[in-house]
Amino acid sequence: MEGNYYMIHDYLIFIGVFAIFLFLTVGIYLFSQNQKLKQRNTKLSESNKIIEQRLNEVRLEHIGTKLNPHLFKNILNSVQSHAYQTYMSLDKLANVLDYILYESNNKYVSPKEELNFALSLIEINKIKVNPLFDFRIKFKINKSDSIYEEKVFAPLISVDLIENAFKHTDFLAQDSFISIFMELEDRVFTMKVSNKASLKNSLEKEKSGFGSQSLDQRLKMIYNTHYHLEKSSKNGIFTAELKINLGEFYDKMRYSG
C-alpha cells in the first residue's frame, strides 16, 4: 500500500514537472514569435518611412505627374492594410517608384518600360481587393514589334485609366468586375479598361477630375492626331479605350528630327 502511494506521488511529481516544462517551452516559443513579429513590424515601419521620404522628394515637371502623390499614398495604405503581402508589395512598389523617380523624368520611354510599369501598378492595386474579385487582365504584346523598345511612349500614360477603374468600381456588387486589356501590334498601342461603376456617378467624377483632364491634355500635346481616346458609360459599365499610333508618331519624330 505504501509502495503504491509513493508510485502515485512520483507520478504526480513527474506530471507536474512535465506541465511546467511544457508551459515554459510554449511560453518561450510564443515570446520568440512575438519578438520576431515586433522586429518585422519595425522593419515595415522603417521601410514605409523611407518610401514616404522618397515620395516627398519627387518633383516631376510635366502635367501627368501631379497625380503621383495621391497615387502612391493610396498604394502605401493598401500595403499597410495587408501585412501578409507586404514584402511582395514593397518589391513591386520599389519597381514602380524607380520608374516614377527616374524614367518618368525622360520625355519618352519605350512601350516595354511603360507596359512593365502598368503591370506592376495593376498588381499593387489588386492587393486591396478581395482575391475572389473578378479581374480580367490580358496583355497581348508583340515583343518583336519594331517599336517595342523605341523611346516613343510618353511616361505614365497608363496611370489614369488604371487608377480610375480601381477608384470607381463597385467592389460590393455581385456582378462587379474590372477588365484591363493592353495590346501592341503593328506599331499601334491599344489600352481598353472597363469596370462596373459604383453607385455614385463615377463617369461624372471621371470627367470632372484632374486626372481625366490632364490625360486628354497630354495626349493632345504629345500625339496630336496620332491617338484616339473614347469614353462611354452604359448599363452601369464605364469603358475607356485609348489607341496611339506609335509607328506614325515615331516616323514623324525621325523625319522632323
Side-chain angles (χ1 to χ4, degrees):
M1 188 75 177
E2 186 176 325
N4 290 337
Y5 170 80
Y6 283 114
M7 286 179 63
I8 295 172
H9 179 265
D10 290 342
Y11 178 76
L12 291 175
I13 291 176
F14 172 79
I15 293 297
V17 171
F18 179 78
I20 293 172
F21 174 78
L22 182 61
F23 177 80
L24 290 175
T25 302
V26 172
I28 292 171
Y29 173 79
L30 292 176
F31 177 79
S32 174
Q33 293 301 309
N34 182 58
Q35 291 299 109
K36 288 181 180 179
L37 182 59
K38 285 182 178 179
Q39 291 174 358
R40 190 172 299 173
N41 289 336
T42 299
K43 289 181 180 178
L44 175 60
S45 177
E46 291 173 354
S47 297
N48 285 336
K49 286 180 182 178
I50 292 172
I51 292 170
E52 288 183 329
Q53 288 173 357
R54 291 182 67 187
L55 285 175
N56 290 332
E57 294 172 359
V58 176
R59 295 293 184 270
L60 301 179
E61 297 179 357
H62 53 73
I63 296 174
T65 58
K66 292 182 181 179
L67 287 176
N68 292 337
H70 285 297
L71 168 67
F72 288 100
K73 185 63 178 177
N74 290 338
I75 292 173
L76 283 173
N77 288 338
S78 299
V79 171
Q80 290 171 332
S81 65
H82 294 265
Y84 65 93
Q85 290 182 330
T86 294
Y87 294 102
M88 181 196 74
S89 305
L90 287 176
D91 181 60
K92 292 285 185 184
L93 181 56
N95 293 335
V96 170
L97 283 173
D98 283 341
Y99 185 83
I100 290 293
L101 289 169
Y102 304 114
E103 300 301 330
S104 64
N105 283 322
N106 298 323
K107 188 173 182 180
Y108 298 109
V109 297
S110 68
K112 176 182 179 180
E113 291 168 321
E114 178 72 12
L115 290 168
N116 286 337
F117 161 75
L119 184 59
S120 292
L121 187 62
I122 291 168
E123 290 300 317
I124 292 173
N125 272 285
K126 284 171 62 177
I127 295 169
K128 58 188 175 185
V129 182
N130 190 315
L132 300 178
F133 183 79
D134 184 9
F135 280 110
R136 307 167 192 176
I137 300 170
K138 184 177 180 181
F139 277 54
K140 187 180 178 183
I141 308 302
N142 182 1
K143 295 183 179 181
S144 62
D145 195 297
S146 61
I147 212 75
Y148 183 59
E149 296 193 33
E150 296 291 343
K151 301 292 184 181
V152 69
F153 212 114
L156 304 178
I157 286 293
S158 59
V159 167
D160 296 80
L161 301 185
I162 294 172
E163 280 296 296
N164 280 326
F166 280 92
K167 182 178 180 182
H168 297 304
T169 295
D170 184 357
F171 290 104
L172 299 179
Q174 290 185 351
D175 57 348
S176 189
F177 72 94
I178 291 178
S179 172
I180 300 175
F181 172 73
M182 290 190 182
E183 180 183 55
L184 180 66
E185 188 66 45
D186 295 329
R187 307 201 306 168
V188 175
F189 169 74
T190 302
M191 180 176 184
K192 185 175 181 180
V193 180
S194 301
N195 64 283
K196 179 73 174 182
S198 64
L199 295 177
K200 297 179 181 179
N201 194 333
S202 60
L203 178 61
E204 212 170 86
K205 281 187 176 182
E206 207 277 336
K207 284 184 175 179
S208 62
F210 177 82
S212 174
Q213 295 174 8
S214 68
L215 177 62
D216 293 341
Q217 291 171 8
R218 290 187 69 208
L219 288 168
K220 187 174 182 178
M221 285 191 304
I222 297 169
Y223 293 108
N224 197 4
T225 60
H226 303 294
Y227 84 96
H228 178 71
L229 177 62
E230 183 177 351
K231 302 173 186 177
S232 63
S233 181
K234 185 177 181 181
N235 298 327
I237 296 176
F238 178 64
T239 301
E241 184 170 7
L242 170 65
K243 283 183 179 289
I244 306 176
N245 195 321
L246 296 173
E248 288 183 359
F249 181 68
Y250 178 65
D251 293 339
K252 180 182 176 181
M253 284 198 308
R254 288 179 61 191
Y255 292 131
S256 61

